[in-house]
Amino acid sequence: MIDKLDAALRFNREALNLRTQRQEVLAANIAHADTPNYKARDFDFASRLTQAVEHGRAAQQPVQMAATSARHIQADAPPSMPERDLLYRVPSQSSIDGNTVEMDAERINFADNALRYEANLTVVSAKIKSLLSAAQ
């Protein structure tokens, strides 16, 4: 039963995780808009989602948190995106200082990703509500 629930929500879970990672990458680009020689980064969302759904995250090693006391609760940190999966964005207009961040494009991508994240949350919420009503 649990494996069916996991399968029903796997796609949305992976999509939300990837949207969160992409939001972090886009936020880093915006934060470094004035940094000389900073190269804007991004990743191919569709291919990463396909890979995550098909293969899961078993290939990634979980990061263990250090406990300084025996009373600490052990928890796994969320996996971060490997640097090798990030691609460099090609600017449409070059900058004198070598920075490739284009603020208009970054703002559009940031807002689009946030909107899609919210839409995905709405879909997950509706799925959970329908599963709960079916269980009653």
Side-chain angles (χ1 to χ4, degrees), residues 74-93:
Q74 294 297 320
D76 292 332
S80 62
M81 176 176 297
E83 280 289 315
R84 61 182 162 73
D85 291 343
L86 291 176
L87 306 171
Y88 290 102
R89 189 170 294 152
V90 178
S92 58
Q93 186 175 6

Side-chain angles (χ1 to χ4, degrees), residues 91-114:
S92 58
Q93 186 175 6
S94 61
S95 174
I96 294 174
D97 65 356
N99 187 312
T100 62
V101 175
E102 296 175 323
M103 283 303 291
D104 291 336
E106 296 300 330
R107 286 187 195 117
I108 289 169
N109 288 327
F110 191 87
D112 178 64
N113 194 59

Side-chain angles (χ1 to χ4, degrees), residues 36-96:
N37 295 317
Y38 181 81
K39 308 300 181 207
R41 308 290 298 267
D42 204 351
F43 63 90
D44 183 12
F45 182 82
S47 67
R48 287 289 313 272
L49 182 59
T50 303
Q51 177 187 6
V53 170
E54 289 177 358
H55 305 295
R57 281 187 238 132
Q60 295 179 356
Q61 296 290 348
V63 177
Q64 296 296 325
M65 296 177 68
T68 57
S69 172
R71 298 184 312 177
H72 286 170
I73 297 173
Q74 294 297 320
D76 292 332
S80 62
M81 176 176 297
E83 280 289 315
R84 61 182 162 73
D85 291 343
L86 291 176
L87 306 171
Y88 290 102
R89 189 170 294 152
V90 178
S92 58
Q93 186 175 6
S94 61
S95 174
I96 294 174

